[in-house]
Amino acid sequence: YALTGKETKMICMQKLVKVDGKTRTDPNFPAGFMDVVELPKAGDQFRLIFDTKGRFVLHRISDEEKAFKLCRVKRQELTLKKVPVVVTHDGRTIRYPDPLITTNDTVKVDIATGKVISFIKFEVGNMCMITKGRNTGRVGTIMHVEKHPGSFDIVTVRDAAGRSFSTRLENVFVIGTKDSSDITLPKGKGIKQTILEEREMIVKKRKLIV
């Protein structure tokens, strides 16, 4: 697309880049986790997700998938006029949500209308992705939630390879029920490899090239 900063600016100023369905002309516009970045002229659309090393990756998605995004509920409250609202991780305020939606749940939001299509409860057995800490980008199933009043609640997660790890509750982002994810996952499917496994992969690739 662009090779220099000037070209990047020109592409943005021509209104060729969309983030979450809205045209953005600022090259420094802050896009975050789960945002959909679209280049309609090139016919490309991507979702911003973490890889298992905690880096943002642009994961290519289909036309059906670009229509929605998942948002984690940060807090739930009543406004001064007694209107129930939930606030999501990307700064959206959704009025009159389903009364079953609570903090830490994930809502599936239609990007065009901003309305909630469905929601996934934060509960044991559901699939999640870690969005902070040294396990960022790992995907697994919630096995156990430890409550620590006055401190940080700890969640134990097990990935598809059978490895268990623990992290703070606020780092966990539910992405699907049981073993099915509502979004497609980038290369590696959120399973972190050990250094030895990574080395093995590289050696295999080199052998194939030779």
Side-chain angles (χ1 to χ4, degrees), residues 152-199:
F152 300 103
D153 294 344
I154 301 294
V155 179
T156 305
V157 181
R158 183 185 292 154
D159 66 11
R163 300 190 188 105
S164 291
F165 56 95
S166 296
T167 186
R168 290 180 181 178
L169 183 102
E170 62 262 30
N171 302 346
V172 178
F173 191 116
V174 181
I175 57 167
T177 52
K178 303 293 178 250
D179 295 328
S180 65
S181 168
D182 279 24
I183 54 164
T184 53
L185 297 169
K187 195 173 74 177
K189 303 287 177 210
I191 298 163
K192 192 171 189 172
Q193 293 180 313
T194 61
I195 300 167
L196 294 172
E197 285 171 340
E198 271 179 30
R199 182 177 169 275

Side-chain angles (χ1 to χ4, degrees), residues 121-127 141-145 155-156 178:
K121 296 294 290 174
F122 179 91
E123 53 193 26
V124 172
N126 280 354
M127 196 185 237
T141 307
I142 300 169
M143 302 306 290
H144 181 61
V145 181
V155 179
T156 305
K178 303 293 178 250

Side-chain angles (χ1 to χ4, degrees), residues 96-161:
Y96 299 109
D98 188 307
L100 296 174
I101 297 171
T102 55
T103 309
N104 303 325
D105 290 351
T106 296
V107 289
K108 192 173 179 178
V109 175
D110 186 297
I111 286 174
T113 60
K115 298 271 194 310
V116 175
I117 308 165
S118 62
F119 64 94
I120 312 160
K121 296 294 290 174
F122 179 91
E123 53 193 26
V124 172
N126 280 354
M127 196 185 237
C128 68
M129 184 180 248
I130 310 302
T131 56
K132 256 189 195 169
R134 60 172 301 194
N135 290 310
T136 302
R138 290 180 78 174
V139 172
T141 307
I142 300 169
M143 302 306 290
H144 181 61
V145 181
E146 282 176 40
K147 297 276 186 205
H148 295 282
S151 185
F152 300 103
D153 294 344
I154 301 294
V155 179
T156 305
V157 181
R158 183 185 292 154
D159 66 11

Side-chain angles (χ1 to χ4, degrees), residues 201-210:
M201 288 272 288
I202 293 164
V203 169
K204 271 183 190 172
K205 272 185 190 170
R206 280 185 188 157
K207 275 181 184 172
L208 287 171
I209 292 164
V210 171

Side-chain angles (χ1 to χ4, degrees), residues 1 3 27 41 52 74-75 80 89 104 112 143 149 151-152 168 202:
Y1 307 109
L3 297 174
K41 204 166 184 179
T52 50
K74 297 274 277 190
R75 65 176 197 270
L80 292 172
H89 80 282
N104 303 325
M143 302 306 290
S151 185
F152 300 103
R168 290 180 181 178
I202 293 164

